[in-house]
Amino acid sequence: MSETVLPAAQQIFLDPVIWGVVIAAAFYGVFLGAMPGLTATMGVALFVPMTFWLEPLPALAAIVTMVACAIFAGDIPTTLMRIPGTPASAAYADDAYALAQRGEASSAMGIMLWFSVTGGLFGALVLMLLGNQLARCASWFSVAEYFWLYLMGISCAVIVGGSSVARSLLGLLIGLLFSTVGLSAVHGQARFVFGQPELFQGISFIPAMIGLFGLSEVLRGSLGLDRVLAPSAAPLQSRSLLGPALHLFPTRILAWIRSSTLGAMTGILPGAGADIASWVSAAVSKRRSRTPERFGKGSTECLADASAANSASLAGAWIPALVFGIPGDSVTAIVIGVLYMKNLKPGPEIFETQGVLVFSLYLIFILANLVLLPVGMLAIRTGGLIMRIPRRVLLPVIVLLCIVGAYAVGGSLFDVWLMFGFGLLGLACERWKISIGALVLGMILGGPLEERFVQTLSGGDGSLWAFVDRPVAAGLALVCLLVWLSVALSARRNRLLPAGESDA
Amino acid sequence: MIFQRHPVSPQPDLLPVRLPPGAQSGSLLTWATVGLLLLLALGCSAEQEFPDQPISLICPWSAGGGTDRVARQVAAQLESELGVPVNVINAIGGSGVTGHTRGAVARPDGYTLTMITVELSMLHWRGLTSVTHEDFAPLHLLNRDPAALFVRADSDYQSLDDLQAAVDSAARSGKKLKASGTAYGGIWHIATAGWLDRRGLAPDAVNWVSINGAGPSIQELMAGGVDFLCCSLPEADAVLGGQVRCLGVMSDERIGGFEDVPTFKEQAHDWSIAGWRGVAAPRETPPERLRVLSDALAKVTATQSFRDFMAAAGFDLSLEEPAEFAQTLQRQDRLFGDILTSEALRGVSGEHFGPLMFPAIIAVGLVVALLIVSVELWRERAVPLAAVPGDSPTEVTSADTHRSDSKDVRNRLIYPAAVALAVMFYIVASEPLGFVATAMLMLAGLLLALRVRPRIAFSVAVLTALVTYQVFSILLRVPLPRGFLEW
């Protein structure tokens, strides 16, 4: 062990090039994450040409740092403008924004920063200690198992969701229905496209998400522009940035371990990344919470757990990528390409032939998360300046950001139309308290869920037994049933309580 | 301008919050604006030779995949060859329909190129698009990847004959073998079906599990979800090295770098098929621009670093110049036309589980959920709390400011209407006017509509538009709409 540890540590901590690259990548990542529409994946893809001129280690260091910082930075516009900077922040957008409306933006962002950093470190430890063993789990999962996993994933939206089970379910189903627009991945046939060539690729969910959360909030905010004078525009208090987080942390050690573990496990599974991780951990955290009614209305527990989970998932995604060469998420798909470019072949043997490199990679994860702490604080301070801009001036600028963000995803004005339409839909959802978060999750997971559903059916020649005839699949099916049963029971219990419980 | 239909006299006292220190001194802002505009004007010199602006390279497949990797390598090298940025745009989805269509209908000015793939020869035969190779001016063929069949290393099948016998007996016993490698009707599915057809078996003697992409299919093979796999040789070998066994590659000769893998021909299975990738421009692109692009591509593909990249990634380099590539495209089109319209394969096209089954299930659920929610809403109507129309749940203070005189209602609707108009204006105007002008007009109009003082409104509009343009288009290379002013 020590013959890899020492050289690796030397390579990482004593090399000024690595430090320079990591710090530059941290700023780049923070910026990407904070810009709505620019995701971590896109950032890494934009960066790939630059890796041609870098050594393998700095190249990997840049990618790791960039992504870790981008996933946290996505929380900043989520808190300040209710526009999730990356899809990973969508699960707790309402909580973060509600806290900001109460003038607690800085402590909310401090909590998210602290738990992102510690969650990321936890993920790095999991990668370091268990990576090789855990990778084997991924090979148990065939399409049937994934079907149950995705079903559980969408159930999370109903658990986390807002005012009532029926309304979360409604949001979810609307989202699922939107996800079926376009050429179906399984059949290659067009559905609900109404002759529009742009709709063939389906409704891309990033413009939809920007519209649902961001533009609808601008529209709502403009409604009350003349009446509400500077709503809670309390500037960021200078001292309380990390204070509340450090205060919260000792009381939530167990929850932190639970969420980070969940996040790392989600990351390991191919096809489920940071966005799913934050949903799953928010759902679990609500089930275990003593104050579940505060979820969706500014729960710091939700923020802490979900931030820890989405950051922890990032390291998890590298496990199948390194061991099998199978990407755990879209970022590691690009990473595998970069590895090949550098003549590094992922696979079980990489741990032996490139032991020092692999261990250096672990250390990079730790370094990246440590750098995130000061850079993140700087970003929060900078972002906080937004709070000092008058709302009349800020709202139009946010409109422009929404437009550019929607356009940036695919370079098509049709996506701007989509963003606009979903902005109006978001306004309607707010009016009838239909969960927007559930709608977004339905759109994210609808495609893969349907794919696994049809794949399992066609693999089994149409027999429903195909869903449960493998032991792991049967076990997951059972868990799924139990989750739904408990949701139904608690919904029933709430119904029996006197009215007024549904919204506080 | 659309916003001047409701001119609002600026009311300085209505500006609620103190301004950031810089904004207070309007003159400073104005000077900064003038300075930036001058800088921008200096940047735009007179008409130049092609190319003088960024080029987009459309990749119809997702970031991180094989095609994307090739596209990004080509883009990076093309950039240093041509001296302008070359940006990869992943226009994905619809089994490649989206990207190929966008590439074909793009403005034929040489600034939009497309990484075309074998699917271009297949999609229109399947009735998924009307775009064919004739909509493109081919530039260069880059590589060909022959199909290959894989089983798990611990599988009993040692040769193609073993596998064929197993497929046959399984189909007879009513429990067909499962295979995957790509989506239903994709290139590797056609390769497998064509092989079965050539060997006298029904093309649907195997249950094809429609999985998008080789990576997830390989995982399915490892999890035991499918019995064998068809994809290109480097795709599976790159991923799993010793954990899979390749039974044969569907080419006439063995592939460089994989000399130990036998061909189908050697095993007396007369069948070969390959995927390919190349670069093309829209058909109407002026010939002199095509020549510039093609010369640059020829230089790129001749470099050692490009060859090294292709070799390292395992892609079988196969270069063809425009004229030769055009012939190849015609041959490919006929070949896939024959395969896809053949009697045997037409039977394959029907999946048992129609594309509307899943949406139907969702729709039923949606109706049920709507009913429950309507009942809930009807009940809440009785509770007076819910009676404040249009108010957000977070605006707790709104209860005491709640007035319903007509002026208030009108005011409340003007602002959201202005926001909506601004977005629509952007959508309509950005293509002809270009990003910078549109964004400035939109912001200025919206700021004025929200009753911001004109001087501040104009300065903010100009500054924000320019900074956004600099950051997105120049720094991050995210393409923004360009109009007749070229920015």
Side-chain angles (χ1 to χ4, degrees):
Chain A
M1 195 70 177
S2 65
E3 68 268 27
T4 56
V5 175
L6 267 180
Q10 263 174 0
Q11 265 184 6
I12 299 300
F13 293 111
L14 297 184
D15 186 351
V17 175
I18 297 269
W19 278 95
V21 164
V22 162
I23 290 170
F27 280 101
Y28 180 64
V30 161
F31 182 77
L32 281 172
M35 278 291 158
L38 299 182
T39 58
T41 313
M42 196 192 254
V44 175
L46 287 169
F47 172 76
V48 165
M50 278 178 248
T51 59
F52 296 148
W53 295 286
L54 285 174
E55 291 287 304
L57 209 52
L60 292 177
I63 293 175
V64 168
T65 316
M66 196 183 296
V67 176
C69 293
I71 294 293
F72 159 71
D75 298 344
I76 298 176
T78 315
T79 314
L80 298 176
M81 303 183 268
R82 210 182 71 150
I83 309 174
T86 71
S89 310
Y92 45 90
D94 285 334
D95 288 280
Y97 189 67
L99 282 170
Q101 292 298 295
R102 278 186 231 145
E104 295 169 36
S106 73
S107 64
M109 288 191 284
I111 288 172
M112 291 188 275
L113 176 60
W114 176 255
F115 279 87
S116 291
V117 168
T118 52
L121 289 174
F122 189 97
L125 280 180
V126 171
L127 172 68
M128 201 186 259
L129 301 176
L130 300 171
N132 220 342
Q133 285 83 344
L134 279 178
R136 284 171 223 295
C137 302
S139 66
W140 300 339
F141 284 72
S142 78
V143 284
E145 284 83 9
Y146 275 108
F147 169 76
W148 292 112
L149 270 187
Y150 287 133
L151 199 62
M152 246 186 271
I154 60 168
S155 317
C156 291
V158 179
I159 300 173
V160 177
S163 54
S164 83
V165 169
R167 280 175 224 200
S168 306
L169 196 62
L170 185 63
L172 181 66
L173 288 165
I174 296 174
L176 286 174
L177 205 58
F178 276 127
S179 78
T180 63
V181 173
L183 277 192
S184 87
V186 196
H187 311 89
Q189 287 180 36
R191 300 179 299 191
F192 315 119
V193 294
F194 309 108
Q196 295 283 322
E198 290 94 344
L199 278 179
F200 270 64
Q201 61 178 312
I203 296 178
S204 32
F205 72 84
I206 291 182
M209 185 179 77
I210 293 175
L212 281 168
F213 282 110
L215 190 68
S216 79
E217 183 56 30
V218 171
L219 289 169
R220 246 178 38 162
S222 70
L223 270 173
L225 205 54
D226 280 347
R227 280 176 305 145
V228 188
L229 291 179
S232 66
L236 300 172
Q237 307 93 324
S238 50
R239 261 170 305 159
S240 67
L241 197 54
L242 280 184
L246 295 174
H247 198 67
L248 185 67
F249 190 60
T251 65
R252 292 197 68 75
I253 289 282
L254 282 179
W256 169 73
I257 293 176
R258 182 188 68 215
S259 309
S260 307
T261 314
L262 267 176
M265 298 302 286
T266 315
I268 291 172
L269 296 171
D275 40 359
I276 316 291
S278 52
W279 278 102
V280 173
S281 87
V284 172
S285 139
K286 184 177 182 185
R287 298 303 283 181
R288 308 295 295 279
S289 169
R290 272 191 225 106
T291 52
E293 69 281 352
R294 287 179 50 196
F295 276 68
K297 299 177 186 90
S299 161
T300 49
E301 296 172 20
C302 179
L303 291 187
D305 291 359
S307 311
N310 63 21
S311 294
S313 78
L314 301 177
W318 285 67
I319 293 176
L322 285 177
V323 180
F324 291 137
I326 295 175
D329 61 5
S330 41
V331 167
T332 40
I334 303 176
V335 167
I336 291 174
V338 172
L339 286 177
Y340 274 109
M341 227 161 352
K342 300 287 173 200
N343 272 323
L344 296 166
K345 206 165 158 183
E349 60 274 19
I350 196 174
F351 292 91
E352 281 127 47
T353 56
Q354 298 285 342
V356 177
L357 182 95
V358 172
F359 203 85
S360 307
L361 185 66
Y362 299 156
L363 293 180
I364 288 171
F365 266 97
I366 292 173
L367 181 66
N369 280 293
L370 293 180
V371 169
L372 170 59
L373 196 61
V375 174
M377 282 167 74
L378 195 66
I380 293 177
R381 290 275 154 79
T382 317
L385 296 179
I386 289 176
M387 297 298 255
R388 296 171 56 185
I389 301 174
R391 282 181 72 77
R392 271 164 211 285
V393 178
L394 186 59
L395 286 184
V397 176
I398 298 181
V399 172
L400 186 69
L401 272 186
C402 289
I403 292 173
V404 174
Y407 186 85
V409 180
S412 138
L413 279 176
F414 184 77
D415 284 342
V416 183
W417 273 119
L418 273 185
M419 190 275 297
F420 182 52
F422 275 93
L424 298 180
L425 180 68
L427 208 57
C429 285
E430 293 285 352
R431 173 71 184 81
W432 289 292
K433 299 190 185 123
I434 295 164
S435 162
I436 290 178
L439 209 163
V440 171
L441 188 68
M443 289 183 70
I444 295 179
L445 280 187
L449 181 74
E450 178 187 9
E451 259 185 85
R452 306 295 171 252
F453 179 67
V454 178
Q455 284 160 359
T456 313
L457 267 184
S458 62
D461 238 353
S463 151
L464 286 177
W465 281 115
F467 285 101
V468 286
D469 66 356
R470 293 162 54 101
V472 182
L476 287 172
L478 195 68
V479 176
C480 226
L481 271 181
L482 289 177
V483 168
W484 281 90
L485 207 65
S486 79
V487 171
L489 279 180
S490 66
R492 216 181 128 70
R493 211 170 38 234
N494 281 355
R495 182 92 40 88
L496 294 179
L497 289 175
E501 154 83 357
S502 60
D503 53 317
Chain B
M1 252 18 293
I2 27 177
F3 300 111
Q4 278 160 17
R5 245 181 283 137
H6 37 252
V8 192
S9 59
Q11 288 165 291
D13 53 310
L14 256 168
L15 222 90
V17 192
R18 64 198 136 65
L19 288 162
Q24 213 117 37
S25 50
S27 59
L28 188 72
L29 255 180
T30 320
W31 279 115
T33 311
V34 170
L36 259 171
L37 272 176
L38 273 175
L39 268 179
L40 203 78
L42 281 177
C44 307
S45 45
E47 190 73 16
Q48 280 177 5
E49 268 184 24
F50 174 83
D52 64 346
Q53 21 167 305
I55 292 177
S56 303
L57 176 58
I58 294 179
C59 168
W61 305 98
S62 59
T67 307
D68 179 68
R69 272 150 65 193
V70 177
R72 284 182 197 281
Q73 175 78 29
V74 170
Q77 291 196 263
L78 208 52
E79 189 168 311
S80 48
E81 202 59 57
L82 290 171
V84 294
V86 180
N87 309 314
V88 176
I89 298 180
N90 298 95
I92 58 168
S95 317
V97 170
T98 311
H100 285 111
T101 310
R102 262 183 70 182
V105 303
R107 207 188 297 177
D109 55 5
Y111 288 108
T112 309
L113 307 179
T114 311
M115 196 78 191
I116 56 175
T117 60
V118 63
E119 282 73 14
L120 179 63
S121 308
M122 303 170 61
L123 292 170
H124 71 102
W125 292 111
R126 294 171 60 204
L128 292 176
T129 173
S130 54
V131 171
T132 70
H133 68 97
E134 289 179 354
D135 295 300
F136 286 99
L139 287 169
H140 271 258
L141 178 73
L142 300 176
N143 85 306
R144 273 179 224 265
D145 288 321
L149 288 185
F150 297 88
V151 292
R152 278 161 63 137
D154 57 3
S155 150
D156 294 333
Y157 316 129
Q158 298 291 343
S159 69
L160 288 178
D161 289 329
D162 288 355
L163 185 62
Q164 188 193 331
V167 168
D168 196 24
S169 69
R172 277 175 214 281
S173 71
K175 194 148 179 23
K176 295 176 187 174
L177 290 194
K178 292 186 255 181
S180 190
T182 184
Y184 207 87
I187 170 73
W188 312 131
H189 181 204
I190 298 305
T192 311
W195 168 62
L196 293 171
D197 183 45
R198 192 59 65 94
R199 303 299 293 175
L201 296 173
D204 58 354
V206 169
N207 261 339
W208 189 264
V209 181
S210 178
I211 297 178
N212 261 320
S217 308
I218 292 164
Q219 216 230 317
E220 192 68 12
L221 181 75
M222 298 317 293
V226 292
D227 300 289
F228 67 97
L229 182 76
C230 179
C231 62
S232 79
L233 196 51
E235 274 176 313
D237 184 80
V239 170
L240 287 168
Q243 300 175 63
V244 290
R245 178 162 59 240
C246 184
L247 295 183
V249 53
M250 302 185 188
S251 63
D252 294 341
E253 280 158 27
R254 294 197 176 198
I255 305 300
F258 301 93
E259 279 83 4
D260 50 338
V261 175
T263 66
F264 269 47
K265 208 175 187 178
E266 288 169 40
Q267 303 181 58
H269 288 232
D270 180 25
W271 177 244
S272 67
I273 194 166
W276 49 261
R277 302 185 176 95
V279 181
R283 188 187 40 188
E284 303 289 337
T285 311
E288 65 277 6
R289 294 195 174 181
L290 287 178
R291 206 165 319 119
V292 173
L293 291 167
S294 139
D295 289 348
L297 272 169
K299 280 185 196 148
V300 166
T301 50
T303 57
Q304 194 57 39
S305 55
F306 184 74
R307 283 161 194 273
D308 287 347
F309 163 79
M310 295 298 272
F315 298 125
D316 204 24
L317 196 66
S318 173
L319 300 174
E320 284 179 11
E321 301 269 314
E324 206 184 344
F325 187 20
Q327 287 175 2
T328 305
L329 281 175
Q330 270 174 12
R331 275 201 308 275
Q332 285 281 314
D333 200 60
R334 273 200 303 277
L335 172 75
F336 281 103
D338 289 345
I339 299 176
L340 288 166
T341 54
S342 71
E343 213 40 60
L345 280 185
R346 231 178 295 163
V348 176
S349 58
E351 254 275 6
H352 334 286
F353 309 101
L356 290 180
M357 181 180 65
F358 184 78
I361 298 174
I362 300 298
V364 170
L366 196 64
V367 170
V368 174
L370 259 178
L371 281 177
I372 302 178
V373 171
S374 328
V375 170
E376 279 185 3
L377 284 172
W378 183 74
R379 276 196 197 152
E380 274 170 30
R381 199 152 284 224
V383 185
L385 235 175
V388 188
D391 266 352
S392 64
T394 46
E395 269 175 41
V396 195
T397 52
S398 64
D400 40 270
T401 52
H402 175 230
R403 293 164 293 159
S404 60
D405 50 301
S406 60
K407 185 169 169 256
D408 188 37
V409 171
R410 205 193 59 222
N411 276 351
R412 291 179 56 176
L413 289 180
I414 280 179
Y415 295 151
V419 171
L421 274 175
V423 178
M424 286 194 265
F425 168 74
Y426 180 94
I427 295 173
V428 175
S430 62
E431 295 269 77
L433 292 185
F435 173 80
V436 176
T438 315
M440 279 182 195
L441 286 173
M442 185 204 91
L443 281 175
L446 190 53
L447 284 161
L448 287 179
L450 296 190
R451 301 190 195 175
V452 174
R453 266 184 290 178
R455 201 166 60 173
I456 293 175
F458 287 121
S459 310
V460 169
V462 170
L463 276 181
T464 314
L466 290 181
V467 169
T468 315
Y469 178 76
Q470 283 291 331
V471 166
F472 275 79
S473 202
I474 313 267
L475 217 64
L476 293 176
R477 305 248 177 108
V478 176
L480 293 170
R482 47 176 67 246
F484 66 93
L485 290 173
E486 303 295 344
W487 37 262

